[in-house]
Amino acid sequence: MDLSTRYNPSETEERWYAHWESRGYFRSVPDDREPFTIVIPPPNVTGVLHMGHMLNNTIQDILIRKARLDGKNACWVPGTDHASIATEAKVVQWLRKEKKLRKSDISREQFMEYAYQWKDKYGGIILKQLRKLGASCDWDRTAFTMDKGYYDDVIRTFVYLYKKGKLYRGLRMVNWDPEAKTVLSNEEVLHNEEQSQLFYIKYLLEDSDNEGITIATQRPETIFADVAVAVNPRDTRYKSMVGKMVRIPLIDRPIPVIADDYVDVEFGTGALKITPAHDQNDYEVGQRHNLEVLDTIADDGRINDVCTYKPIVGLDRFEARKQMQPALEASGNLVKMEEYTTSIGRSERTNAVVEPKLSLQWFVDMTSLGAPALKAVMDEQVKFYPPSFQNLYRNWMENLRDWCISRQLWWGQRIPAWYLKSEGPSKETFVFVASTADEALAIARKETGNPNLGMDDLRQDEDVLDTWASSWLWPISVFDGFNKPDGEFKYYYPTNVLVTGWDIIFFWVARMIMAGFEFKGQKPFKDVYFTGMVRDKQRRKMSKSLGNSPDALKLLEDFGADGVRYGLMSSAAAGGDILFDDKLCENGRNFCNKLWNALRLVKGWQQSETAESEEIARKNALAVRWLREKFNQVLTEVEEDFRTFRLSEGLLSLYGFIWDDFCSWYLEMIKPGYEQPIDRATYAATLDLYSDIVVALHPFMPFITEELWHQLRERSDGDDCIVQRYPKAGKSDQSLIGKVEAAKDIIARIRDLRNQNQIKPRDPLILQVQDGSSAQALFAQEGLREMVVKLAVLSELSLVDSEPANAKSFISGTDKFYVVLNKEIDVAAECARIKEELDYQRGFVRSIEGKLSNERFVNNAPTEIVENERKKLADGLERIQMLEESRKSLGCS
């Protein structure tokens, strides 16, 4: 044999992946088979492989490989997202470092050319890395959200929504990222408790040098945008001041004191500065009182010229805040300062503190889009795994806000809206929405009544669409569902399952469901499997800043793809966080070596067809039959685990079966004696069983299973593991399984007894069994006596009527066994051991009696469960009786 002593993934993984690709196994085209479709959650084109990607894509690959083995037309569509904010930031950085250019130095068209150059050079690395993980995507279908056809779909849906009255342009308070200089959706803002300071500032009455009203604010740099001070109309402290004017400190501009129910009398001083341009709630108060809006903060977060306090104009808002403390102290307006813990919103992308800003943006009216998407999930047309995420989804869907879909960037789908050049920005009276400039011109001529308008008279909106306004079309557009609805789209859509993190349930999952119903009248997928967060051993989220995120490629190099896949999946219950540890991958590598060593053992046996080997085959027949029955039982469990997306449990069921039942027990049961051959029947059956096992394990650990498949037997061209049929679970013989499990327990107890009494493993022992109907039925099973004799190393196994002398006893099931020892028994030690066992059995019986005394359990539990508990009670009582008899025969006190 030339098999290496250890499995070496570096010698097999690249070879088998290239083989699978060359055979076209990942390719899918419509045919008469049932389709099974998954679309990858497109990673950012800027991305590189990290733990979250590996978990998510391992799960998708498991499902797609299982479908392929089930004979379905498995189609897994890969691709990347253009990721507007992240990619534009990368391109700007690249231009500055490599081209010595600033964005402001070049035109929009030039920037887009450079952006595509960067994308072609650096983008999409992650898709190459996914191959190392074993991802069996149809790479010929690789999509990109800025592809020409995809781009056109995004523009088409914008125009459609506008014409349907479901998309509008309006002045709204938005979340502004001063670093990226773009608007953010609510879901792109991360809120955390942070330490801040409250400034208590006194606004003097217009006609007084000492009387006034004190407000509390954490943003003193915005007081120059104040247009009022508000108090609660029921607050008696300030009733006399309502209607009077107070002066803004440092600039003495007068503003009114107004009454509004929004003000909380318990917070701060009960008086609130109203700054409509820089706070959503203040904006709403201002709208109710018809107040002016003054915006003193520029797009980059600096104080602009609208501010009339010139010492801070041009400063960053936080630097301006620092300057305000000494200025207010000097003017006598700073009453006091307090430490204050508050929720601060930061940009998910740049970590910049988000600035509430009044801005003219494009919005999708979510009211009509949300209803069918909510109903689909609550009625389980779209099923969530785990189902608990329905509540999170419903809470968000019942509190929908209109979706701001415009972003102040260049990289992305440019908004298809045109305006008259003669009308300045934010002052447009005409808006022409169309798929092309020519269509927009035709609309403009009609709506303005001016047939002489030309393209030089129009200007296109400078903004692009939110990234999610393209990715919500992903399941539709990757199958060209807008242009060819009766083509591939009809075959592959709706897709079968979406695998994604729960953290984008609002960003992406909900919006895809909305898009499916709005544009195609049906759901985009049948099931959604939510993965948990990958965390470290201390339950911390993995991040670069903490330095606790392993190098994904290094893990693949150290442990092999199958080892890493096992490590991730062995602790990846649906929706639950994964506490990742390298040891999990080490366990996976050890499992690979266990499988490999089993192959080496089996392939090292010589075969024989003599008359003697026929007798061996007869003795081995029980082991072969037992393993097949046990395999059927495990397959039934695994199929149910696949159906309910309990993939971690499915993998661990196979792992336990392979490690314990196949390697530790079955191979020992059939292993021939030293330098003895094995019979051909058992050998062939073992190869059949092992082949079926590796096919069952293939979705989880594809590389080693393909290698084992080809090492076990000579295979014809194209007879590869990846395209076999998944083993079908037959009905398992529970009686036979139970008898062999009983035999295993007897053998294990004898081995324990050897260890306790320093008896060598190969020294034969005499085993006697208390005669009775149970023992007779057990050993009547053909081959079972020989199995126990072989594995327990016995010289004799017989049934007896009474307890022999110089014997140690044990109970297995409800039968009593005696191991005859050629030495005097330590009666005191044996009595102590029996007492310990008796105490355990009495506790066991009490727990069962407690359960059966519960009327609710007895009346409501399934009949078979109640009967099983009653049998446990009877068996426990029988064991207690046997132990009491042993104590009596030994004369224990």
Side-chain angles (χ1 to χ4, degrees):
M1 286 199 341
D2 58 358
L3 290 173
S4 61
T5 55
R6 294 176 70 83
Y7 172 66
N8 188 348
S10 64
E11 294 177 358
T12 59
E13 291 179 353
E14 192 171 331
R15 170 165 50 88
W16 281 122
Y17 198 89
H19 174 75
W20 294 330
E21 280 202 281
S22 69
R23 300 289 304 192
Y25 291 143
F26 305 162
R27 185 83 179 99
S28 174
V29 294
D31 57 27
D32 58 357
R33 290 175 294 166
E34 176 188 346
F36 185 90
T37 315
I38 296 178
V39 291
I40 197 172
N44 288 355
V45 71
T46 60
V48 292
L49 197 65
H50 61 58
M51 300 304 295
H53 291 135
M54 289 211 295
L55 171 64
N56 187 289
N57 286 281
T58 295
I59 291 169
Q60 291 175 81
D61 193 51
I62 289 168
L63 295 172
I64 214 76
R65 287 180 182 272
K66 174 61 162 61
R68 196 178 287 125
L69 292 168
D70 283 339
K72 297 175 183 176
N73 190 347
C75 179
W76 184 12
V77 180
T80 50
D81 188 283
H82 66 278
S84 294
I85 297 175
T87 305
E88 181 148 326
K90 291 274 188 182
V91 174
V92 168
Q93 186 181 43
W94 174 68
L95 285 173
R96 190 168 58 246
K97 286 185 178 179
E98 294 196 17
K99 307 290 184 183
K100 309 305 180 190
L101 291 171
R102 292 176 299 174
K103 184 181 174 184
S104 57
D105 295 334
I106 56 178
S107 68
R108 186 185 192 117
E109 289 70 25
Q110 289 173 314
F111 179 84
M112 292 298 287
E113 287 178 11
Y114 281 124
Y116 275 107
Q117 284 180 29
W118 182 92
K119 177 255 180 186
D120 292 340
K121 186 174 182 179
Y122 298 105
I125 292 172
I126 189 170
L127 297 184
K128 297 182 181 71
Q129 294 172 333
L130 285 176
R131 286 173 160 85
K132 294 184 179 295
L133 187 64
S136 56
C137 302
D138 183 348
W139 298 109
D140 292 340
R141 292 181 176 275
T142 302
F144 178 50
T145 52
M146 285 282 280
D147 287 339
K148 175 65 169 62
Y150 203 116
Y151 191 112
D152 291 345
D153 287 348
V154 176
I155 300 304
R156 179 204 302 255
T157 54
F158 184 99
V159 175
Y160 165 88
L161 290 171
Y162 181 79
K163 288 180 177 178
K164 296 275 284 187
K166 297 181 179 181
L167 188 148
Y168 64 92
R169 190 174 186 232
L171 195 64
R172 294 287 187 278
M173 187 65 67
V174 296
N175 304 303
W176 185 261
D177 182 338
E179 188 171 321
K181 297 187 184 65
T182 187
V183 71
L184 304 172
S185 68
N186 291 330
E187 293 76 32
E188 292 170 305
V189 179
L190 305 178
H191 291 273
N192 288 295
E193 293 293 312
E194 295 188 24
Q195 198 65 27
S196 184
Q197 289 180 313
L198 270 182
F199 289 71
Y200 286 78
I201 305 170
K202 189 170 186 179
Y203 289 48
L204 295 173
L205 285 169
E206 190 176 24
D207 56 358
S208 175
D209 290 332
N210 51 36
E211 189 181 358
I213 191 166
T214 299
I215 60 95
T217 180
Q218 62 174 359
R219 307 191 62 198
E221 71 279 6
T222 65
I223 67 172
F224 310 111
D226 290 355
V227 293
V229 171
V231 297
N232 193 293
R234 290 178 295 281
D235 193 336
T236 56
R237 292 174 295 177
Y238 304 118
K239 199 165 187 179
S240 64
M241 288 192 177
V242 175
K244 293 183 179 181
M245 304 294 282
V246 293
R247 290 173 287 149
I248 297 175
L250 302 177
I251 60 173
D252 284 340
R253 175 163 55 83
I255 55 175
V257 178
I258 62 173
D260 194 280
D261 287 327
Y262 166 70
V263 181
D264 181 359
V265 296
E266 301 296 330
F267 178 76
T269 65
L272 186 71
K273 66 194 267 322
I274 301 300
T275 319
H278 302 300
D279 184 275
Q280 175 67 42
N281 296 311
D282 287 11
Y283 177 71
E284 292 171 4
V285 172
Q287 290 288 292
R288 286 196 292 273
H289 294 268
N290 200 26
L291 298 173
E292 183 183 10
V293 177
L294 298 175
D295 187 350
T296 58
I297 297 181
D299 289 351
D300 62 358
R302 294 180 180 275
I303 307 301
N304 63 25
D305 289 335
V306 175
C307 173
T308 55
Y309 182 64
K310 298 309 177 184
I312 66 169
V313 172
L315 296 180
D316 177 79
R317 54 195 166 144
F318 298 114
E319 181 58 34
R321 187 176 300 174
K322 291 178 184 176
Q323 300 293 326
M324 289 299 292
Q325 181 178 348
L328 290 168
E329 285 175 342
S331 69
N333 294 98
L334 186 61
V335 178
K336 64 175 180 175
M337 293 179 66
E338 284 182 356
E339 292 300 310
Y340 176 58
T341 302
T342 185
S343 177
I344 300 290
R346 290 184 177 271
S347 168
E348 182 188 41
R349 296 291 181 194
T350 66
N351 201 41
V353 173
V354 169
E355 186 67 40
K357 188 175 180 64
L358 201 59
S359 181
L360 191 60
Q361 302 287 342
W362 285 93
F363 294 85
V364 175
D365 181 351
M366 301 293 275
T367 308
S368 60
L369 272 64
L374 175 59
K375 186 176 188 299
V377 171
M378 301 319 294
D379 292 350
E380 295 194 340
Q381 298 173 54
V382 176
K383 289 188 176 180
F384 282 1
Y385 296 88
S388 57
F389 282 106
Q390 277 188 354
N391 295 327
L392 182 66
Y393 180 86
R394 180 179 60 192
N395 182 58
W396 187 73
M397 293 294 286
E398 288 177 346
N399 296 279
L400 281 175
R401 292 185 179 184
D402 286 355
W403 175 17
C404 180
I405 60 168
S406 47
R407 297 292 183 270
Q408 288 62 52
L409 303 164
W410 282 354
W411 175 247
Q413 292 90 2
R414 191 172 180 180
I415 289 176
W418 282 260
Y419 315 102
L420 294 174
K421 282 184 178 177
S422 58
E423 296 180 335
S426 303
K427 297 176 183 177
E428 300 89 352
T429 55
F430 289 99
V431 180
F432 315 114
V433 173
S435 296
T436 65
D438 288 341
E439 290 177 17
L441 179 59
I443 295 170
R445 287 170 174 171
K446 182 179 178 181
E447 292 191 4
T448 62
N450 182 356
N452 297 318
L453 283 176
M455 285 309 304
D456 289 343
D457 297 312
L458 301 183
R459 59 178 174 83
Q460 189 177 350
D461 198 308
E462 291 291 327
D463 293 348
V464 299
L465 287 161
D466 177 15
T467 295
W468 301 104
S470 59
S471 56
W472 75 326
L473 304 179
W474 188 249
I476 302 172
S477 290
V478 295
F479 296 116
D480 205 9
F482 289 107
N483 295 305
K484 298 177 182 177
D486 294 323
E488 284 192 341
F489 175 77
K490 191 173 182 180
Y491 179 76
Y492 290 115
Y493 189 97
T495 64
N496 289 77
V497 58
L498 175 74
V499 180
T500 187
W502 59 264
D503 54 324
I504 55 173
I505 190 171
F506 314 131
F507 280 125
W508 195 43
V509 179
R511 287 170 180 164
M512 276 193 292
I513 299 174
M514 291 181 201
F517 283 103
E518 180 65 26
F519 303 126
K520 289 297 165 185
Q522 57 179 320
K523 61 192 177 187
F525 28 72
K526 298 163 188 171
D527 299 309
V528 182
Y529 177 108
F530 289 108
T531 63
M533 290 285 184
V534 183
R535 299 183 182 275
D536 65 14
K537 290 179 285 187
Q538 299 174 44
R539 297 187 175 274
R540 298 177 302 176
K541 185 177 179 180
M542 288 188 170
S543 67
K544 289 181 183 177
S545 60
L546 289 174
N548 63 345
S549 185
D551 182 332
L553 295 178
K554 186 71 165 58
L555 285 175
L556 292 171
E557 182 183 326
D558 291 346
F559 300 106
D562 292 322
V564 173
R565 288 167 69 118
Y566 174 88
L568 286 166
M569 293 308 302
S570 61
S571 59
D577 286 349
I578 293 92
L579 301 183
F580 184 77
D581 187 337
D582 285 8
K583 287 187 173 61
L584 295 168
C585 297
E586 189 177 338
N587 292 342
R589 183 177 61 190
N590 293 342
F591 186 31
C592 289
N593 284 323
K594 187 79 169 178
L595 289 161
W596 189 252
N597 287 333
L599 169 73
R600 294 180 68 244
L601 176 66
V602 172
K603 296 296 283 185
W605 292 337
Q606 298 298 314
Q607 300 172 62
S608 171
E609 286 184 346
T610 62
E612 183 181 347
S613 70
E614 290 180 10
E615 175 61 17
I616 295 172
R618 184 192 67 76
K619 292 179 179 178
N620 285 338
L622 176 62
V624 172
R625 189 179 161 200
W626 163 73
L627 191 72
R628 178 61 70 181
E629 297 297 336
K630 194 70 185 285
F631 188 41
N632 280 336
Q633 177 181 305
V634 171
L635 281 175
T636 300
E637 296 168 2
V638 171
E639 286 288 4
E640 179 61 15
D641 289 333
F642 268 109
R643 190 187 68 79
T644 56
F645 297 96
R646 294 165 56 87
L647 303 184
S648 179
E649 290 82 350
L651 171 59
L652 292 176
S653 291
L654 285 169
Y655 171 87
F657 169 75
I658 294 167
W659 192 288
D660 296 328
D661 294 317
F662 179 65
C663 294
S664 299
W665 284 101
Y666 173 76
L667 293 180
E668 287 297 311
M669 289 174 183
I670 65 165
K671 185 169 71 174
Y674 180 66
E675 292 189 345
Q676 297 296 311
I678 190 171
D679 66 280
R680 287 190 180 276
T682 301
Y683 187 75
T686 300
L687 294 188
D688 288 342
L689 283 162
Y690 203 0
S691 295
D692 285 349
I693 287 168
V694 298
V695 174
L697 186 62
H698 178 81
F700 299 97
M701 304 173 74
F703 292 109
I704 188 169
T705 51
E706 189 71 75
E707 180 70 12
L708 291 169
W709 172 262
H710 286 273
Q711 291 287 354
L712 282 166
R713 283 194 171 113
E714 287 290 327
R715 309 286 183 182
S716 60
D717 186 40
D719 184 17
D720 295 317
C721 183
I722 188 176
V723 289
Q724 298 305 305
R725 283 302 178 94
Y726 201 79
K728 293 298 178 187
K731 188 176 181 181
S732 54
D733 185 337
Q734 291 300 309
S735 174
L736 179 82
I737 291 173
K739 288 176 180 176
V740 176
E741 294 301 320
K744 285 167 59 183
D745 186 61
I746 295 165
I747 294 161
R749 288 176 181 274
I750 293 172
R751 288 173 175 173
D752 286 343
L753 190 143
R754 283 181 184 274
N755 291 333
Q756 293 163 11
N757 291 273
Q758 291 83 48
I759 300 172
K760 293 178 181 179
R762 304 310 302 172
D763 284 357
L765 294 173
I766 296 171
L767 179 68
Q768 296 182 350
V769 189
Q770 187 71 45
D771 196 2
S773 58
S774 174
Q776 290 173 13
L778 178 64
F779 290 102
Q781 174 65 52
E782 184 177 2
L784 192 133
R785 180 186 292 266
E786 290 92 336
M787 180 184 290
V788 174
V789 167
K790 177 182 178 180
L791 296 183
V793 190
L794 303 178
S795 59
E796 178 187 330
L797 193 164
S798 58
L799 274 65
V800 296
D801 293 326
S802 58
E803 183 169 344
N806 293 331
K808 289 220 170 186
S809 65
F810 64 86
I811 294 171
S812 177
T814 56
D815 292 315
K816 194 171 185 181
F817 296 80
Y818 309 102
V819 177
V820 179
L821 302 177
N822 293 320
K823 62 180 183 179
E824 188 174 341
I825 301 298
D826 184 336
V827 175
E830 185 69 1
C831 285
R833 185 192 66 79
I834 293 173
K835 182 180 184 303
E836 184 178 345
E837 175 68 12
L838 192 56
D839 289 342
Y840 171 81
Q841 292 296 336
R842 283 170 175 161
F844 173 77
V845 164
R846 280 195 299 272
S847 69
I848 300 296
E849 286 175 335
K851 190 179 290 188
L852 290 172
S853 66
N854 185 333
E855 290 185 15
R856 181 178 295 179
F857 169 76
V858 174
N859 293 332
N860 296 323
T863 304
E864 61 270 21
I865 290 179
V866 176
E867 289 305 315
N868 188 48
E869 293 299 315
R870 286 177 174 149
K871 185 177 185 308
K872 286 182 185 177
L873 177 62
D875 290 348
L877 290 170
E878 191 170 346
R879 285 191 289 270
I880 288 172
Q881 184 179 346
M882 289 179 183
L883 290 166
E884 292 283 15
E885 289 171 356
S886 293
R887 281 175 57 80
K888 185 177 180 181
S889 66
L890 286 169
C892 301
S893 57

